[in-house]
Amino acid sequence: DYFTGNPTIFQQKEYTTTQTLSGAVHVLNCLFRSCISSGNGGALYCSSVTFLLVESSSFFSCRISDHYGGAISFSNSNGQCVLHEVCGYDCISTHTDWSQGQFIHTDVNNALSSKNYINYSSIVRCVNGISNSHYMLFIYNGKICCPSVNISMNKCYSRSGIYCCPFYYSDSVTCSLSYSTFSDNIATDCICIKLWTEGAKYELKSCNIIRNTQGSLGSCATFYTNGNVMIEDSCILENNANIIFYSHFYTLTLSNCTVDKTTSAGSFNIQNTVTKSFIHALN
């Protein structure tokens, strides 16, 4: 569905040590449990991987003592990465100076055609109380798509939900978050969702952003963007920052959303009626 060729297949196996991968790789129906690394990528370290598809696999209690990717570290300027139906639980970096991507750190080929996807996945209860622990999911370069993702009950110093830095392209959206839930995440400093490529186009459709908290109430916001964002048909409720929406030089637009607080900084627009009913129930 995503890549062509003949990848190396890792299938139906449990791993308790870090796997260093190369070439084209398909990980299918695997369990990575208590994988500990002194380098990057507690379960999967992918600096020489061209195409990575991780499908129907779980990552439990994986740890690193380096900077990048408690469970998965992917860094290849010629590569692409897709996670499809992945479960993540209790994965962090224990580095005390600076860490990024408590669950995953991906840095792919920076082109419109390059896939940097996380689909139909759940990343929960990755809890890191160390200062300078940043970015629960660090998704960098390429075209970013996150449909039906649950990122909930995680904790780190900042960016407790997701950080997206897609390819810049002025004519179309290069980062899309849809039918996804970001709830009960804790940033001991600030920010849950950060969209960072300057001037890029972003969209959030039919998402829940609920009960996310931050320790520095007056710092930044729950939702921070450095590009033009359209948020449609979404619920944004009970988030405990003084500013919920922060747009840095660009425009953030809400359309037909359920919100209980519209405090903002920068250019902020509301289109259509902001309803009072709860659109997307959490069962």
Side-chain angles (χ1 to χ4, degrees), residues 36-52:
I36 309 297
S37 175
S38 59
N40 297 313
L44 300 178
Y45 177 64
C46 311
S47 64
S48 301
V49 174
T50 51
F51 302 104
L52 176 66

mmCIF file of all heavy atoms in Angstrom, residues 36-52:
data_model
loop_
_atom_site.group_PDB
_atom_site.id
_atom_site.type_symbol
_atom_site.label_atom_id
_atom_site.label_comp_id
_atom_site.label_asym_id
_atom_site.label_seq_id
_atom_site.Cartn_x
_atom_site.Cartn_y
_atom_site.Cartn_z
ATOM 1 N N ILE A 36 16.222 -1.793 25.634
ATOM 2 C CA ILE A 36 16.995 -0.718 26.253
ATOM 3 C C ILE A 36 18.237 -0.449 25.411
ATOM 4 O O ILE A 36 18.956 -1.384 25.030
ATOM 5 C CB ILE A 36 17.427 -1.084 27.684
ATOM 6 C CG1 ILE A 36 16.224 -1.575 28.501
ATOM 7 C CG2 ILE A 36 18.105 0.101 28.345
ATOM 8 C CD1 ILE A 36 15.131 -0.557 28.701
ATOM 9 N N SER A 37 18.487 0.843 25.115
ATOM 10 C CA SER A 37 19.646 1.196 24.301
ATOM 11 C C SER A 37 20.370 2.390 24.898
ATOM 12 O O SER A 37 19.744 3.326 25.401
ATOM 13 C CB SER A 37 19.207 1.523 22.870
ATOM 14 O OG SER A 37 20.300 1.987 22.101
ATOM 15 N N SER A 38 21.708 2.350 24.815
ATOM 16 C CA SER A 38 22.502 3.509 25.217
ATOM 17 C C SER A 38 22.632 4.501 24.063
ATOM 18 O O SER A 38 23.156 5.600 24.236
ATOM 19 C CB SER A 38 23.897 3.068 25.672
ATOM 20 O OG SER A 38 24.565 2.373 24.623
ATOM 21 N N GLY A 39 22.147 4.107 22.885
ATOM 22 C CA GLY A 39 22.149 4.993 21.722
ATOM 23 C C GLY A 39 20.759 5.518 21.446
ATOM 24 O O GLY A 39 19.950 5.694 22.356
ATOM 25 N N ASN A 40 20.443 5.760 20.174
ATOM 26 C CA ASN A 40 19.129 6.232 19.772
ATOM 27 C C ASN A 40 18.271 5.057 19.306
ATOM 28 O O ASN A 40 18.772 4.076 18.778
ATOM 29 C CB ASN A 40 19.260 7.257 18.646
ATOM 30 C CG ASN A 40 20.014 8.500 19.078
ATOM 31 O OD1 ASN A 40 19.744 9.059 20.136
ATOM 32 N ND2 ASN A 40 20.948 8.955 18.257
ATOM 33 N N GLY A 41 16.951 5.182 19.495
ATOM 34 C CA GLY A 41 16.047 4.139 19.056
ATOM 35 C C GLY A 41 16.070 2.928 19.957
ATOM 36 O O GLY A 41 16.844 1.995 19.747
ATOM 37 N N GLY A 42 15.199 2.919 20.974
ATOM 38 C CA GLY A 42 15.216 1.807 21.926
ATOM 39 C C GLY A 42 14.905 0.479 21.280
ATOM 40 O O GLY A 42 15.568 -0.527 21.550
ATOM 41 N N ALA A 43 13.891 0.442 20.396
ATOM 42 C CA ALA A 43 13.520 -0.803 19.722
ATOM 43 C C ALA A 43 14.089 -0.871 18.312
ATOM 44 O O ALA A 43 14.657 -1.883 17.913
ATOM 45 C CB ALA A 43 12.000 -0.930 19.671
ATOM 46 N N LEU A 44 13.933 0.221 17.539
ATOM 47 C CA LEU A 44 14.385 0.246 16.147
ATOM 48 C C LEU A 44 15.277 1.450 15.912
ATOM 49 O O LEU A 44 14.871 2.594 16.146
ATOM 50 C CB LEU A 44 13.185 0.310 15.195
ATOM 51 C CG LEU A 44 12.167 -0.827 15.259
ATOM 52 C CD1 LEU A 44 11.028 -0.564 14.288
ATOM 53 C CD2 LEU A 44 12.831 -2.171 14.973
ATOM 54 N N TYR A 45 16.495 1.172 15.444
ATOM 55 C CA TYR A 45 17.420 2.243 15.065
ATOM 56 C C TYR A 45 17.605 2.194 13.554
ATOM 57 O O TYR A 45 18.071 1.189 13.006
ATOM 58 C CB TYR A 45 18.759 2.072 15.781
ATOM 59 C CG TYR A 45 19.789 3.107 15.368
ATOM 60 C CD1 TYR A 45 19.580 4.457 15.630
ATOM 61 C CD2 TYR A 45 20.956 2.723 14.713
ATOM 62 C CE1 TYR A 45 20.515 5.405 15.252
ATOM 63 C CE2 TYR A 45 21.894 3.666 14.331
ATOM 64 C CZ TYR A 45 21.670 5.010 14.598
ATOM 65 O OH TYR A 45 22.586 5.951 14.210
ATOM 66 N N CYS A 46 17.214 3.277 12.872
ATOM 67 C CA CYS A 46 17.120 3.248 11.411
ATOM 68 C C CYS A 46 17.837 4.454 10.806
ATOM 69 O O CYS A 46 17.205 5.430 10.403
ATOM 70 C CB CYS A 46 15.665 3.272 10.975
ATOM 71 S SG CYS A 46 14.598 2.071 11.800
ATOM 72 N N SER A 47 19.164 4.384 10.740
ATOM 73 C CA SER A 47 19.915 5.468 10.102
ATOM 74 C C SER A 47 20.286 5.128 8.668
ATOM 75 O O SER A 47 20.698 6.000 7.911
ATOM 76 C CB SER A 47 21.181 5.786 10.901
ATOM 77 O OG SER A 47 22.059 4.671 10.893
ATOM 78 N N SER A 48 20.127 3.853 8.287
ATOM 79 C CA SER A 48 20.467 3.423 6.936
ATOM 80 C C SER A 48 19.271 2.772 6.242
ATOM 81 O O SER A 48 19.434 1.980 5.326
ATOM 82 C CB SER A 48 21.637 2.431 6.987
ATOM 83 O OG SER A 48 22.772 3.010 7.578
ATOM 84 N N VAL A 49 18.074 3.112 6.667
ATOM 85 C CA VAL A 49 16.864 2.530 6.103
ATOM 86 C C VAL A 49 16.293 3.473 5.049
ATOM 87 O O VAL A 49 16.106 4.668 5.312
ATOM 88 C CB VAL A 49 15.812 2.257 7.198
ATOM 89 C CG1 VAL A 49 14.504 1.780 6.587
ATOM 90 C CG2 VAL A 49 16.334 1.226 8.179
ATOM 91 N N THR A 50 16.012 2.948 3.873
ATOM 92 C CA THR A 50 15.418 3.762 2.814
ATOM 93 C C THR A 50 13.900 3.822 2.931
ATOM 94 O O THR A 50 13.302 4.887 2.811
ATOM 95 C CB THR A 50 15.813 3.219 1.434
ATOM 96 O OG1 THR A 50 15.535 1.807 1.390
ATOM 97 C CG2 THR A 50 17.293 3.445 1.170
ATOM 98 N N PHE A 51 13.265 2.655 3.155
ATOM 99 C CA PHE A 51 11.822 2.583 3.328
ATOM 100 C C PHE A 51 11.523 1.728 4.545
ATOM 101 O O PHE A 51 11.956 0.579 4.618
ATOM 102 C CB PHE A 51 11.148 1.963 2.095
ATOM 103 C CG PHE A 51 11.411 2.696 0.819
ATOM 104 C CD1 PHE A 51 12.300 2.198 -0.111
ATOM 105 C CD2 PHE A 51 10.778 3.899 0.550
ATOM 106 C CE1 PHE A 51 12.562 2.874 -1.293
ATOM 107 C CE2 PHE A 51 11.029 4.591 -0.626
ATOM 108 C CZ PHE A 51 11.924 4.080 -1.552
ATOM 109 N N LEU A 52 10.755 2.295 5.487
ATOM 110 C CA LEU A 52 10.375 1.557 6.689
ATOM 111 C C LEU A 52 8.862 1.543 6.810
ATOM 112 O O LEU A 52 8.217 2.591 6.840
ATOM 113 C CB LEU A 52 10.969 2.202 7.937
ATOM 114 C CG LEU A 52 10.545 1.566 9.271
ATOM 115 C CD1 LEU A 52 11.081 0.147 9.406
ATOM 116 C CD2 LEU A 52 11.006 2.417 10.452
#
